C-alpha cells in the first residue's frame, strides 16, 4: 500500500510531533482533536518548531509554509476518510483508546491501516477490539518526535506481513530508524527505561542524593544525555506512573512496584514540564 495521507488522532505533544515529521516528509496530514482550540494549539506548536529549525538553517521559510499547508487541522473524524494510515496518539488510557479505535474501525475503509502510539498497552489486545486486526500495528514514536530518530514498530499476534512492511517503509520515509519488536508490556525501550526512572525516584525518596546529583551521576557515569529525573519530567510523571502500573499488573512482579514518591507527585498534580512543576520547577 502506498501511504500518502496520514491521519492523526490527538494534537498534543506526540500528535503534533508526528504531524510535523509527516508533513516535512511530503505527506498530507489530517490532525484531529476534540476541540478547535486543541488543534490550533497543536498547529501553533508545529509552526514554532519549524521556526526553530529555520533559525538553525535546517529549514527555509518556503519549506515551512509548504509543510504547514500539508497539515489539515480538524475536529471531525470524517476528514480521516482520505487517509491510508491513521495513527492514534491519544492519552495513555486503555478505555479511551478502545473507544477511539471503535470509532475509527467503523468509519475507515477496510484496507486502511490503524496504528497506535501506545507506550505500554498490548497491541494484540487492542487489535482484537477491531475488525481489522491484521491491519493493526503499534508505532511507538519518542518525545520529542522531530528530534528522536527511533520508532518502535510493534507487531501484534494478528499483524500481517504486508501491514508491517508498509509501516516499516513509511517510518524510513519519515527519516526515522525503525526497530521491530514483539508485543509485550513496555515493548523494548520503555521496558528498560521506565523501571530505571522509577528506581531513580526510590533513590530520591531515600535521600541518597539530590535530584541534581542523581541526574548528574547518570549523565556523567553512564553517558546519558539527560538524567532520569529530568527525563521523567519531560515524559510526564503521570505517564511514567501509568506505565509502571501496567507492568505491575501484567507481570505481577514486585520489582515493578511504582515508587510511593512518584505516586505522591502525581497526586499533587506535579506532572513535570507540562504543569510547570515535577521533580524540578519550570
Amino acid at each position: 500500500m502506498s501511504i500518502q495521507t496520514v491521519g492523526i488522532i490527538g494534537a498534543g505533544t506526540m500528535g503534533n510531533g508526528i504531524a510535523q515529521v509527516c508533513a516535512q516528509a511530503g505527506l498530507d496530514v489530517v490532525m484531529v482533536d476534540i476541540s478547535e482550540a486543541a488543534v490550533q494549539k497543536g498547529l501553533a506548536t508545529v509552526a514554532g518548531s519549524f521556526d526553530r529549525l529555520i533559525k538553525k538553517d535546517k529549514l527555509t521559510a518556503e519549506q515551512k509554509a509548504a509543510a504547514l499547508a500539508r497539515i489539515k487541522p480538524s475536529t471531525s473524524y470524517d476528514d480521516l476518510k482520505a487517509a491510508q494510515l491513521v495513527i492514534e496518539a491519544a492519552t495513555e488510557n486503555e478505555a479511551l483508546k478502545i473507544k477511539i479505535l471503535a470509532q475509527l474501525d467503523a468509519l475507515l475503509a477496510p484496507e486502511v491501516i490503524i496504528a497506535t502510539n501506545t507506550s505500554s498497552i498490548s497491541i494484540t489486545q487492542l487489535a482484537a477490539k477491531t475488525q481489522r486486526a491484521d491491519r493493526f500495528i503499534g508505532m511507538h514514536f519518542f518525545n520529542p518526535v522531530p528530534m528522536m530518530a527511533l520508532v518502535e514498530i510493534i507487531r501484534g499476534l494478528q499483524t500481517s506481513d504486508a501491514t508491517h512492511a508498509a509501516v516499516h517503509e513509511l517510518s524510513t520515509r519519515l527519516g526515522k530508524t525503525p526497530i521491530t519488536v514483539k508485543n509485550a508490556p513496555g515493548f523494548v525501550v520503555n521496558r528498560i527505561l521506565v523501571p530505571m526512572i522509577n528506581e531513580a525516584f526510590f533513590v530520591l525518596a531515600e535521600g541518597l542524593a539530590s535530584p541534581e546529583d542523581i541526574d548528574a551521576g547518570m549523565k556523567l557515569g553512564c553517558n546519558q544525555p539527560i538524567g532520569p529525573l529530568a527525563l521523567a519530567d519531560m515524559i510526564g510523571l503521570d505517564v511514567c506512573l501509568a506505565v509502571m502500573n501496567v507492568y505491575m499488573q501484567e507481570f505481577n512482579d514486585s520489582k515493578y512496584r511504582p515508587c510511593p514518591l512518584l505516586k505522591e507527585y502525581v497526586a499533587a498534580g506535579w506532572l513535570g514540564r507540562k504543569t510547570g512543576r515535577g521533580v524540578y520547577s519550570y
Side-chain angles (χ1 to χ4, degrees):
M1 173 184 288
S2 176
I3 297 172
Q4 183 53 43
T5 301
V6 175
I8 299 168
I9 303 292
T13 300
M14 298 306 295
N16 67 57
I18 297 168
Q20 177 180 329
V21 297
C22 288
Q24 276 186 266
L27 297 163
D28 294 322
V29 178
V30 180
M31 184 171 65
V32 176
D33 213 315
I34 57 173
S35 70
E36 185 65 25
V39 290
Q40 290 302 325
K41 182 179 179 182
L43 201 60
T45 300
V46 174
S49 181
F50 282 149
D51 287 338
R52 288 190 292 275
L53 291 174
I54 290 172
K55 288 180 181 179
K56 295 177 182 178
D57 293 324
K58 294 183 177 180
L59 197 75
T60 67
E62 291 76 15
Q63 288 171 324
K64 170 193 171 182
L68 282 176
R70 285 191 285 269
I71 302 175
K72 178 180 180 178
S74 175
T75 58
S76 173
Y77 276 34
D78 283 343
D79 288 330
L80 297 168
K81 290 180 179 178
Q84 293 82 47
L85 166 70
V86 176
I87 303 171
E88 173 275 310
T91 304
E92 193 73 351
N93 178 292
E94 184 173 352
L96 175 61
K97 289 182 183 293
I98 290 173
K99 179 181 177 183
I100 290 170
L101 294 177
Q103 291 177 270
L104 292 176
D105 199 32
L107 175 74
L108 302 173
E111 68 273 11
V112 176
I113 296 170
I114 299 178
T116 177
N117 185 55
T118 182
S119 58
S120 62
I121 301 170
S122 168
I123 302 303
T124 297
Q125 186 172 319
L126 291 176
K129 302 294 184 181
T130 75
Q131 299 300 311
R132 64 185 79 215
D134 61 323
R135 292 178 298 287
F136 189 87
I137 199 166
M139 286 185 80
H140 182 208
F141 291 84
F142 289 78
N143 185 28
V145 178
M147 294 175 60
M148 300 296 280
L150 179 67
V151 176
E152 275 185 316
I153 300 177
I154 306 100
R155 298 187 65 152
L157 188 63
Q158 315 94 315
T159 305
S160 71
D161 290 343
T163 297
H164 173 263
V167 170
H168 192 282
E169 189 272 337
L170 176 71
S171 300
T172 303
R173 282 170 62 192
L174 298 182
K176 303 301 183 185
T177 300
I179 63 170
T180 300
V181 306
K182 293 179 180 179
N183 182 61
F187 316 130
V188 169
V189 176
N190 279 350
R191 171 79 175 271
I192 298 168
L193 173 66
V194 181
M196 181 191 74
I197 288 172
N198 193 53
E199 194 63 26
F201 271 92
F202 274 114
V203 170
L204 178 63
E206 292 167 19
L208 299 184
S210 68
E212 293 81 5
D213 282 351
I214 292 169
D215 279 351
M218 294 303 292
K219 288 168 65 179
L220 300 175
C222 298
N223 202 30
Q224 296 181 355
I226 185 172
L229 298 174
L231 180 58
D233 276 353
M234 183 181 294
I235 294 169
L237 303 193
D238 54 335
V239 176
C240 293
L241 177 59
V243 173
M244 288 303 298
N245 281 330
V246 169
Y247 294 166
M248 187 65 193
Q249 178 182 339
E250 294 294 326
F251 291 114
N252 195 27
D253 188 329
S254 61
K255 74 179 181 180
Y256 296 112
R257 178 173 68 96
C259 177
L261 182 62
L262 173 59
K263 294 168 72 173
E264 189 77 356
Y265 274 50
V266 172
W270 296 355
L271 307 183
R273 288 179 179 268
K274 60 187 173 185
T275 59
R277 173 69 195 269
V279 178
Y280 300 99
S281 295
Y282 300 91

